[in-house]
Amino acid sequence: MSLQAPWRLTAAEALPLLREDKLTVTDYVKSLLERVQARDPEVKAWVWIEPSLILQQAKELDGLSASERGPLFGLPIAVKDVILTKDMPTQYNSRLYESETPIAIDANCIITLRAQGALIFGKTSTTEFASSKQGNWHQNLTRNARDSKRTPGGSSSGSGAAVGDYQVPIALGTQTGGSIVRPASFNGGYGFKPTHGAISREGLAQWSPSLDTLGFFGRSVDDFEVLAAAFRLNDAEVASSEAFKLQGAKIGFCKTHNWPKAGQGTIDAMAKAQKILTAHGAQVDDVELPGDFSRVLDWHADVLVGEGQTSFLGQYLLDKDKLHESIQGYVDNSRKLTHRQLLDAYDNVARLRPAFDELARNYDIIITPSVVDEAPLGLENTGDMSFCSMWTILHVPAINLVGFEGANGLPIGLTAVGPRYTDRKLLRVAKAIGDVFEAEGGWVADPL
Amino acid sequence: MSLQAPWRLTAAEALPLLREDKLTVTDYVKSLLERVQARDPEVKAWVWIEPSLILQQAKELDGLSASERGPLFGLPIAVKDVILTKDMPTQYNSRLYESETPIAIDANCIITLRAQGALIFGKTSTTEFASSKQGNWHQNLTRNARDSKRTPGGSSSGSGAAVGDYQVPIALGTQTGGSIVRPASFNGGYGFKPTHGAISREGLAQWSPSLDTLGFFGRSVDDFEVLAAAFRLNDAEVASSEAFKLQGAKIGFCKTHNWPKAGQGTIDAMAKAQKILTAHGAQVDDVELPGDFSRVLDWHADVLVGEGQTSFLGQYLLDKDKLHESIQGYVDNSRKLTHRQLLDAYDNVARLRPAFDELARNYDIIITPSVVDEAPLGLENTGDMSFCSMWTILHVPAINLVGFEGANGLPIGLTAVGPRYTDRKLLRVAKAIGDVFEAEGGWVADPL
């Protein structure tokens, strides 16, 4: 160990210490619990956390012999409260599910994590059923880890804030529009949304099955390597055995048709990123998306509405008055979306997926905005998803990279994307780029 | 009422009697329970059924005033044991989930049914996690409702047999390959797989999210009209207000590229169906699918394997020795499928979906085989899904129509399909066609 408090460790730093008994799981979680106690009355990232359950799990893990210790041995993981955990309640920030009683089943991703030695730490706040309309909270208005007057982003609000605030090294989130990448950017951390379908969604709240994707928050790209191995993410093609080098790399910059929405912080971050990468010898090109891509955000909106109509029918019939009016509106189809329009959205986006993959294969990686700008002031509105939605519906892996700062001294991330099922390659390249962004961009994932 | 025993009623027949107090829910379920008691020691459709719980629900429903009675008031529904029910265990026919303890949550479809007055009757047998390999059972070898030496089909084995055997009017099933249409055909009942995505899959076992579809077993097409209304199924286009008439209707017959597999029973059924419809004045044309469609079954197989690899990772890590070797094989990727092949399957099928819709819009309905032939002898192998898989992966609504008989006097169904999101139109046309098939084909859904 070192003089550093354990709560400051990233997952990739903590795991070897835990495995080699240089840090006990119990000491690690005690340190994290101290951080939670000190900070969470301000941040309010957690909707359910029980120290005695954490310490009990830690004790059991500490009792395992070296051969019984899985690859995630002792790793504390926060879980967005739309994911089933057999020993903790799951409440979806919904008045329909207010309960202290756990639903006695783990989501498939939780089974996978526990089977490899992870310690499920607690449940983090979400907007209602992970949807993203303003005021879509009936409890627990989480605050940004960097500025308590600002939103942490949503819908994975607590996961983004808890990791950004060092209360836990890793958190699970879900992304249907921009619910991982946006809170990662707002709280100054890394966020990784893998290829759609690469991780089981059994046991997650269902809003839009064509879009809902499980992903992660961490404070280093190395952390995601660990999780990618745990979930056995595999690329479509065998990776090159050569190490990735920025010198001579081909990097695309894609402003997207949404660029007019970009604020000064994001405009500056994109320009600075381009300069940094060029200075390191990368070939940087602007990526122009064909005209059809200008319609992707509309198709994304249609899929959200069309699938929301189906997904929330049960809860609506149970007691519609307990649902936020935006969710009632999906079931009532207040937007008058027809299934003809939904099918058009499906078929058009399905056509663009291989087209984007082909385009993206011309680059080692594509850099694109994560957010409009810094986290806005206020807590009710969790921000704008429009720079993220395209990557979600194209099903491609996306990672928020840390590195830049806005006018108010708050973090601004950029997103790296690649073709579908290039998750491992994306992480490898993102690691190199993230390192230079952190070194030269003005913001680091570990500011303390 | 009549002299007919209540257990013989279809859902559409029972509902008005229940609503108008001509039959109490208690008397209805008592009659069904007598049927279960008399027949299920032979058929073995149920894996969990508790008369006291059924009678308790019936008593509560009978206590409701007329205004409190929902559209499904008192309707007993069997539930395939891969669907979560808060008051009954869910065991997936898996050694990992052997338990008498319910997981305290209802699947979204169960919430929807209960909220409208349905009575959840019990859990019906399935192959392990609804997969369809030979010998994929560790308990409860269900028998065909018509011949106990034969398979009821799978994976919705108990649901198909229970409805075919009059033990319950309606059962829920799931279809990933042919798991609704095949058992419906084998047990001589109707089976309806709606458009993929039209009903929430939250709370269903996940094998292949691109394919898994909730659907129904019943003994009349009218029963599915009731359920389609309960789940608010809506078509892509507004339906014509004219009543459907066979005279002058345009009906396609599609043998598919799989036709060489058809046995004599299915060959004869297709020929007889064509004659009957022609005699009623319909214009009957052969539908030739373009060459690309010959590869759909291979793509379907790739998606099953590729998504199975992700879906069963948790259970595999928990205790792989408790999984059937075919499921272990998915996670081990024993077929060496690459994600490149999986993406090719996704993109090719996505291209064919609108192409099939366009082709199918030339007809009022398309008739195609449901099965290779009658239910085969033996219980370990639940039969061949290959005539159903294409419609599952094309996401189109499909309904098994009753009407024909094979060499051993056992039922053979035919499938009616239409474009995506034409479920309501399909039911309307299928009703008319099913009526003439039952009248003139040689098999009726209500043979007793």
PDB file of all heavy atoms in Angstrom, chain A residues 1-27:
ATOM      1  N   MET A   1       0.834  -1.212   0.000  1.00  0.00           N
ATOM      2  CA  MET A   1       0.000   0.000   0.000  1.00  0.00           C
ATOM      3  C   MET A   1       0.865   1.257   0.000  1.00  0.00           C
ATOM      4  O   MET A   1       2.040   1.233  -0.257  1.00  0.00           O
ATOM      5  CB  MET A   1      -0.924   0.015   1.227  1.00  0.00           C
ATOM      6  CG  MET A   1      -2.285  -0.578   0.989  1.00  0.00           C
ATOM      7  SD  MET A   1      -3.172   0.175  -0.389  1.00  0.00           S
ATOM      8  CE  MET A   1      -3.474   1.833   0.249  1.00  0.00           C
ATOM      9  N   SER A   2       0.221   2.325   0.263  1.00  0.00           N
ATOM     10  CA  SER A   2       0.907   3.617   0.190  1.00  0.00           C
ATOM     11  C   SER A   2       0.265   4.534   1.216  1.00  0.00           C
ATOM     12  O   SER A   2      -0.534   4.104   2.041  1.00  0.00           O
ATOM     13  CB  SER A   2       0.707   4.198  -1.212  1.00  0.00           C
ATOM     14  OG  SER A   2      -0.664   4.499  -1.384  1.00  0.00           O
ATOM     15  N   LEU A   3       0.558   5.766   1.101  1.00  0.00           N
ATOM     16  CA  LEU A   3      -0.074   6.727   1.994  1.00  0.00           C
ATOM     17  C   LEU A   3      -1.483   7.063   1.520  1.00  0.00           C
ATOM     18  O   LEU A   3      -2.258   7.677   2.239  1.00  0.00           O
ATOM     19  CB  LEU A   3       0.778   8.000   2.048  1.00  0.00           C
ATOM     20  CG  LEU A   3       2.193   7.779   2.611  1.00  0.00           C
ATOM     21  CD1 LEU A   3       3.011   9.056   2.506  1.00  0.00           C
ATOM     22  CD2 LEU A   3       2.096   7.316   4.074  1.00  0.00           C
ATOM     23  N   GLN A   4      -1.765   6.664   0.286  1.00  0.00           N
ATOM     24  CA  GLN A   4      -3.055   6.990  -0.313  1.00  0.00           C
ATOM     25  C   GLN A   4      -4.183   6.240   0.428  1.00  0.00           C
ATOM     26  O   GLN A   4      -4.087   5.057   0.690  1.00  0.00           O
ATOM     27  CB  GLN A   4      -2.987   6.544  -1.766  1.00  0.00           C
ATOM     28  CG  GLN A   4      -4.249   6.793  -2.545  1.00  0.00           C
ATOM     29  CD  GLN A   4      -3.968   6.652  -4.038  1.00  0.00           C
ATOM     30  OE1 GLN A   4      -3.617   7.593  -4.706  1.00  0.00           O
ATOM     31  NE2 GLN A   4      -4.145   5.457  -4.542  1.00  0.00           N
ATOM     32  N   ALA A   5      -5.279   6.942   0.697  1.00  0.00           N
ATOM     33  CA  ALA A   5      -6.422   6.272   1.308  1.00  0.00           C
ATOM     34  C   ALA A   5      -7.016   5.284   0.313  1.00  0.00           C
ATOM     35  O   ALA A   5      -7.099   5.590  -0.884  1.00  0.00           O
ATOM     36  CB  ALA A   5      -7.468   7.310   1.701  1.00  0.00           C
ATOM     37  N   PRO A   6      -7.427   4.091   0.769  1.00  0.00           N
ATOM     38  CA  PRO A   6      -7.980   3.093  -0.162  1.00  0.00           C
ATOM     39  C   PRO A   6      -9.136   3.616  -1.013  1.00  0.00           C
ATOM     40  O   PRO A   6      -9.281   3.209  -2.158  1.00  0.00           O
ATOM     41  CB  PRO A   6      -8.426   1.970   0.777  1.00  0.00           C
ATOM     42  CG  PRO A   6      -7.519   2.076   1.963  1.00  0.00           C
ATOM     43  CD  PRO A   6      -7.261   3.551   2.124  1.00  0.00           C
ATOM     44  N   TRP A   7      -9.970   4.500  -0.460  1.00  0.00           N
ATOM     45  CA  TRP A   7     -11.112   4.971  -1.256  1.00  0.00           C
ATOM     46  C   TRP A   7     -10.682   5.692  -2.517  1.00  0.00           C
ATOM     47  O   TRP A   7     -11.467   5.847  -3.441  1.00  0.00           O
ATOM     48  CB  TRP A   7     -12.087   5.818  -0.432  1.00  0.00           C
ATOM     49  CG  TRP A   7     -11.545   7.040   0.265  1.00  0.00           C
ATOM     50  CD1 TRP A   7     -11.234   7.149   1.578  1.00  0.00           C
ATOM     51  CD2 TRP A   7     -11.279   8.338  -0.304  1.00  0.00           C
ATOM     52  NE1 TRP A   7     -10.776   8.411   1.881  1.00  0.00           N
ATOM     53  CE2 TRP A   7     -10.798   9.168   0.755  1.00  0.00           C
ATOM     54  CE3 TRP A   7     -11.392   8.873  -1.580  1.00  0.00           C
ATOM     55  CZ2 TRP A   7     -10.439  10.507   0.559  1.00  0.00           C
ATOM     56  CZ3 TRP A   7     -11.030  10.210  -1.782  1.00  0.00           C
ATOM     57  CH2 TRP A   7     -10.560  11.008  -0.723  1.00  0.00           C
ATOM     58  N   ARG A   8      -9.413   6.133  -2.595  1.00  0.00           N
ATOM     59  CA  ARG A   8      -8.951   6.838  -3.793  1.00  0.00           C
ATOM     60  C   ARG A   8      -8.565   5.905  -4.927  1.00  0.00           C
ATOM     61  O   ARG A   8      -8.375   6.345  -6.068  1.00  0.00           O
ATOM     62  CB  ARG A   8      -7.757   7.731  -3.445  1.00  0.00           C
ATOM     63  CG  ARG A   8      -8.153   8.938  -2.618  1.00  0.00           C
ATOM     64  CD  ARG A   8      -7.040   9.933  -2.561  1.00  0.00           C
ATOM     65  NE  ARG A   8      -6.524  10.275  -3.897  1.00  0.00           N
ATOM     66  CZ  ARG A   8      -5.565  11.165  -4.108  1.00  0.00           C
ATOM     67  NH1 ARG A   8      -5.028  11.790  -3.077  1.00  0.00           N
ATOM     68  NH2 ARG A   8      -5.136  11.415  -5.329  1.00  0.00           N
ATOM     69  N   LEU A   9      -8.431   4.616  -4.642  1.00  0.00           N
ATOM     70  CA  LEU A   9      -7.954   3.669  -5.654  1.00  0.00           C
ATOM     71  C   LEU A   9      -8.951   3.485  -6.789  1.00  0.00           C
ATOM     72  O   LEU A   9     -10.167   3.462  -6.567  1.00  0.00           O
ATOM     73  CB  LEU A   9      -7.705   2.300  -5.011  1.00  0.00           C
ATOM     74  CG  LEU A   9      -6.623   2.231  -3.931  1.00  0.00           C
ATOM     75  CD1 LEU A   9      -6.743   0.907  -3.171  1.00  0.00           C
ATOM     76  CD2 LEU A   9      -5.242   2.368  -4.573  1.00  0.00           C
ATOM     77  N   THR A  10      -8.439   3.312  -7.983  1.00  0.00           N
ATOM     78  CA  THR A  10      -9.301   2.834  -9.067  1.00  0.00           C
ATOM     79  C   THR A  10      -9.450   1.317  -8.912  1.00  0.00           C
ATOM     80  O   THR A  10      -8.706   0.666  -8.171  1.00  0.00           O
ATOM     81  CB  THR A  10      -8.681   3.113 -10.445  1.00  0.00           C
ATOM     82  OG1 THR A  10      -7.493   2.338 -10.572  1.00  0.00           O
ATOM     83  CG2 THR A  10      -8.380   4.585 -10.640  1.00  0.00           C
ATOM     84  N   ALA A  11     -10.407   0.754  -9.641  1.00  0.00           N
ATOM     85  CA  ALA A  11     -10.616  -0.700  -9.595  1.00  0.00           C
ATOM     86  C   ALA A  11      -9.345  -1.441 -10.008  1.00  0.00           C
ATOM     87  O   ALA A  11      -8.942  -2.417  -9.374  1.00  0.00           O
ATOM     88  CB  ALA A  11     -11.776  -1.083 -10.515  1.00  0.00           C
ATOM     89  N   ALA A  12      -8.715  -0.957 -11.085  1.00  0.00           N
ATOM     90  CA  ALA A  12      -7.522  -1.648 -11.588  1.00  0.00           C
ATOM     91  C   ALA A  12      -6.359  -1.556 -10.604  1.00  0.00           C
ATOM     92  O   ALA A  12      -5.509  -2.449 -10.564  1.00  0.00           O
ATOM     93  CB  ALA A  12      -7.120  -1.062 -12.945  1.00  0.00           C
ATOM     94  N   GLU A  13      -6.340  -0.505  -9.805  1.00  0.00           N
ATOM     95  CA  GLU A  13      -5.307  -0.399  -8.762  1.00  0.00           C
ATOM     96  C   GLU A  13      -5.641  -1.276  -7.563  1.00  0.00           C
ATOM     97  O   GLU A  13      -4.744  -1.880  -6.954  1.00  0.00           O
ATOM     98  CB  GLU A  13      -5.187   1.063  -8.297  1.00  0.00           C
ATOM     99  CG  GLU A  13      -4.570   2.007  -9.320  1.00  0.00           C
ATOM    100  CD  GLU A  13      -4.765   3.488  -8.956  1.00  0.00           C
ATOM    101  OE1 GLU A  13      -5.576   3.803  -8.051  1.00  0.00           O
ATOM    102  OE2 GLU A  13      -4.120   4.330  -9.611  1.00  0.00           O
ATOM    103  N   ALA A  14      -6.903  -1.322  -7.209  1.00  0.00           N
ATOM    104  CA  ALA A  14      -7.288  -2.033  -5.984  1.00  0.00           C
ATOM    105  C   ALA A  14      -7.194  -3.555  -6.146  1.00  0.00           C
ATOM    106  O   ALA A  14      -6.798  -4.258  -5.211  1.00  0.00           O
ATOM    107  CB  ALA A  14      -8.720  -1.638  -5.586  1.00  0.00           C
ATOM    108  N   LEU A  15      -7.553  -4.066  -7.317  1.00  0.00           N
ATOM    109  CA  LEU A  15      -7.681  -5.525  -7.469  1.00  0.00           C
ATOM    110  C   LEU A  15      -6.401  -6.296  -7.141  1.00  0.00           C
ATOM    111  O   LEU A  15      -6.468  -7.282  -6.383  1.00  0.00           O
ATOM    112  CB  LEU A  15      -8.203  -5.870  -8.873  1.00  0.00           C
ATOM    113  CG  LEU A  15      -9.711  -5.651  -9.043  1.00  0.00           C
ATOM    114  CD1 LEU A  15     -10.102  -5.707 -10.517  1.00  0.00           C
ATOM    115  CD2 LEU A  15     -10.510  -6.693  -8.253  1.00  0.00           C
ATOM    116  N   PRO A  16      -5.234  -5.895  -7.662  1.00  0.00           N
ATOM    117  CA  PRO A  16      -4.038  -6.665  -7.297  1.00  0.00           C
ATOM    118  C   PRO A  16      -3.712  -6.581  -5.805  1.00  0.00           C
ATOM    119  O   PRO A  16      -3.242  -7.558  -5.220  1.00  0.00           O
ATOM    120  CB  PRO A  16      -2.924  -6.033  -8.154  1.00  0.00           C
ATOM    121  CG  PRO A  16      -3.489  -4.790  -8.741  1.00  0.00           C
ATOM    122  CD  PRO A  16      -4.957  -4.894  -8.702  1.00  0.00           C
ATOM    123  N   LEU A  17      -3.982  -5.431  -5.187  1.00  0.00           N
ATOM    124  CA  LEU A  17      -3.739  -5.301  -3.744  1.00  0.00           C
ATOM    125  C   LEU A  17      -4.632  -6.254  -2.954  1.00  0.00           C
ATOM    126  O   LEU A  17      -4.202  -6.887  -1.988  1.00  0.00           O
ATOM    127  CB  LEU A  17      -3.983  -3.861  -3.292  1.00  0.00           C
ATOM    128  CG  LEU A  17      -3.149  -2.767  -3.967  1.00  0.00           C
ATOM    129  CD1 LEU A  17      -3.568  -1.396  -3.443  1.00  0.00           C
ATOM    130  CD2 LEU A  17      -1.657  -2.999  -3.716  1.00  0.00           C
ATOM    131  N   LEU A  18      -5.886  -6.340  -3.380  1.00  0.00           N
ATOM    132  CA  LEU A  18      -6.839  -7.229  -2.701  1.00  0.00           C
ATOM    133  C   LEU A  18      -6.443  -8.696  -2.897  1.00  0.00           C
ATOM    134  O   LEU A  18      -6.430  -9.483  -1.949  1.00  0.00           O
ATOM    135  CB  LEU A  18      -8.249  -6.999  -3.246  1.00  0.00           C
ATOM    136  CG  LEU A  18      -8.883  -5.637  -2.921  1.00  0.00           C
ATOM    137  CD1 LEU A  18     -10.035  -5.345  -3.881  1.00  0.00           C
ATOM    138  CD2 LEU A  18      -9.374  -5.614  -1.469  1.00  0.00           C
ATOM    139  N   ARG A  19      -6.106  -9.012  -4.126  1.00  0.00           N
ATOM    140  CA  ARG A  19      -5.792 -10.404  -4.458  1.00  0.00           C
ATOM    141  C   ARG A  19      -4.565 -10.880  -3.670  1.00  0.00           C
ATOM    142  O   ARG A  19      -4.503 -12.000  -3.206  1.00  0.00           O
ATOM    143  CB  ARG A  19      -5.538 -10.517  -5.965  1.00  0.00           C
ATOM    144  CG  ARG A  19      -5.533 -11.938  -6.476  1.00  0.00           C
ATOM    145  CD  ARG A  19      -5.821 -11.978  -7.988  1.00  0.00           C
ATOM    146  NE  ARG A  19      -5.127 -10.928  -8.727  1.00  0.00           N
ATOM    147  CZ  ARG A  19      -5.743 -10.014  -9.500  1.00  0.00           C
ATOM    148  NH1 ARG A  19      -7.044 -10.022  -9.647  1.00  0.00           N
ATOM    149  NH2 ARG A  19      -5.030  -9.124 -10.156  1.00  0.00           N
ATOM    150  N   GLU A  20      -3.607  -9.960  -3.509  1.00  0.00           N
ATOM    151  CA  GLU A  20      -2.351 -10.342  -2.850  1.00  0.00           C
ATOM    152  C   GLU A  20      -2.358 -10.029  -1.355  1.00  0.00           C
ATOM    153  O   GLU A  20      -1.292  -9.999  -0.725  1.00  0.00           O
ATOM    154  CB  GLU A  20      -1.183  -9.621  -3.542  1.00  0.00           C
ATOM    155  CG  GLU A  20      -0.993 -10.053  -4.981  1.00  0.00           C
ATOM    156  CD  GLU A  20      -0.241  -9.003  -5.819  1.00  0.00           C
ATOM    157  OE1 GLU A  20       0.437  -8.150  -5.219  1.00  0.00           O
ATOM    158  OE2 GLU A  20      -0.371  -9.049  -7.062  1.00  0.00           O
ATOM    159  N   ASP A  21      -3.530  -9.794  -0.803  1.00  0.00           N
ATOM    160  CA  ASP A  21      -3.670  -9.547   0.635  1.00  0.00           C
ATOM    161  C   ASP A  21      -2.898  -8.322   1.130  1.00  0.00           C
ATOM    162  O   ASP A  21      -2.608  -8.219   2.322  1.00  0.00           O
ATOM    163  CB  ASP A  21      -3.212 -10.786   1.434  1.00  0.00           C
ATOM    164  CG  ASP A  21      -4.402 -11.685   1.742  1.00  0.00           C
ATOM    165  OD1 ASP A  21      -5.536 -11.174   1.793  1.00  0.00           O
ATOM    166  OD2 ASP A  21      -4.194 -12.886   1.916  1.00  0.00           O
ATOM    167  N   LYS A  22      -2.594  -7.404   0.226  1.00  0.00           N
ATOM    168  CA  LYS A  22      -1.968  -6.153   0.683  1.00  0.00           C
ATOM    169  C   LYS A  22      -3.022  -5.178   1.201  1.00  0.00           C
ATOM    170  O   LYS A  22      -2.701  -4.164   1.819  1.00  0.00           O
ATOM    171  CB  LYS A  22      -1.171  -5.516  -0.465  1.00  0.00           C
ATOM    172  CG  LYS A  22       0.052  -6.356  -0.825  1.00  0.00           C
ATOM    173  CD  LYS A  22       0.834  -5.750  -1.969  1.00  0.00           C
ATOM    174  CE  LYS A  22       2.007  -6.669  -2.317  1.00  0.00           C
ATOM    175  NZ  LYS A  22       2.504  -6.418  -3.678  1.00  0.00           N
ATOM    176  N   LEU A  23      -4.247  -5.494   0.885  1.00  0.00           N
ATOM    177  CA  LEU A  23      -5.393  -4.714   1.375  1.00  0.00           C
ATOM    178  C   LEU A  23      -6.510  -5.726   1.594  1.00  0.00           C
ATOM    179  O   LEU A  23      -6.829  -6.490   0.680  1.00  0.00           O
ATOM    180  CB  LEU A  23      -5.793  -3.676   0.319  1.00  0.00           C
ATOM    181  CG  LEU A  23      -7.071  -2.860   0.553  1.00  0.00           C
ATOM    182  CD1 LEU A  23      -6.920  -1.954   1.782  1.00  0.00           C
ATOM    183  CD2 LEU A  23      -7.390  -2.002  -0.679  1.00  0.00           C
ATOM    184  N   THR A  24      -7.081  -5.758   2.789  1.00  0.00           N
ATOM    185  CA  THR A  24      -8.210  -6.686   2.977  1.00  0.00           C
ATOM    186  C   THR A  24      -9.476  -6.035   2.413  1.00  0.00           C
ATOM    187  O   THR A  24      -9.581  -4.799   2.323  1.00  0.00           O
ATOM    188  CB  THR A  24      -8.451  -7.024   4.461  1.00  0.00           C
ATOM    189  OG1 THR A  24      -8.887  -5.833   5.135  1.00  0.00           O
ATOM    190  CG2 THR A  24      -7.180  -7.577   5.120  1.00  0.00           C
ATOM    191  N   VAL A  25     -10.409  -6.865   2.046  1.00  0.00           N
ATOM    192  CA  VAL A  25     -11.680  -6.343   1.548  1.00  0.00           C
ATOM    193  C   VAL A  25     -12.337  -5.505   2.634  1.00  0.00           C
ATOM    194  O   VAL A  25     -12.895  -4.432   2.367  1.00  0.00           O
ATOM    195  CB  VAL A  25     -12.595  -7.497   1.077  1.00  0.00           C
ATOM    196  CG1 VAL A  25     -13.888  -6.944   0.506  1.00  0.00           C
ATOM    197  CG2 VAL A  25     -11.894  -8.384   0.043  1.00  0.00           C
ATOM    198  N   THR A  26     -12.239  -5.983   3.858  1.00  0.00           N
ATOM    199  CA  THR A  26     -12.856  -5.253   4.976  1.00  0.00           C
ATOM    200  C   THR A  26     -12.257  -3.853   5.127  1.00  0.00           C
ATOM    201  O   THR A  26     -12.997  -2.869   5.253  1.00  0.00           O
ATOM    202  CB  THR A  26     -12.684  -6.054   6.279  1.00  0.00           C
ATOM    203  OG1 THR A  26     -13.340  -7.320   6.097  1.00  0.00           O
ATOM    204  CG2 THR A  26     -13.302  -5.325   7.464  1.00  0.00           C
ATOM    205  N   ASP A  27     -10.949  -3.754   5.066  1.00  0.00           N
ATOM    206  CA  ASP A  27     -10.336  -2.423   5.189  1.00  0.00           C
ATOM    207  C   ASP A  27     -10.729  -1.528   4.016  1.00  0.00           C
ATOM    208  O   ASP A  27     -10.943  -0.319   4.182  1.00  0.00           O
ATOM    209  CB  ASP A  27      -8.800  -2.546   5.256  1.00  0.00           C
ATOM    210  CG  ASP A  27      -8.339  -3.045   6.620  1.00  0.00           C
ATOM    211  OD1 ASP A  27      -9.156  -3.017   7.570  1.00  0.00           O
ATOM    212  OD2 ASP A  27      -7.184  -3.482   6.721  1.00  0.00           O
TER     213      ASP A  27
END
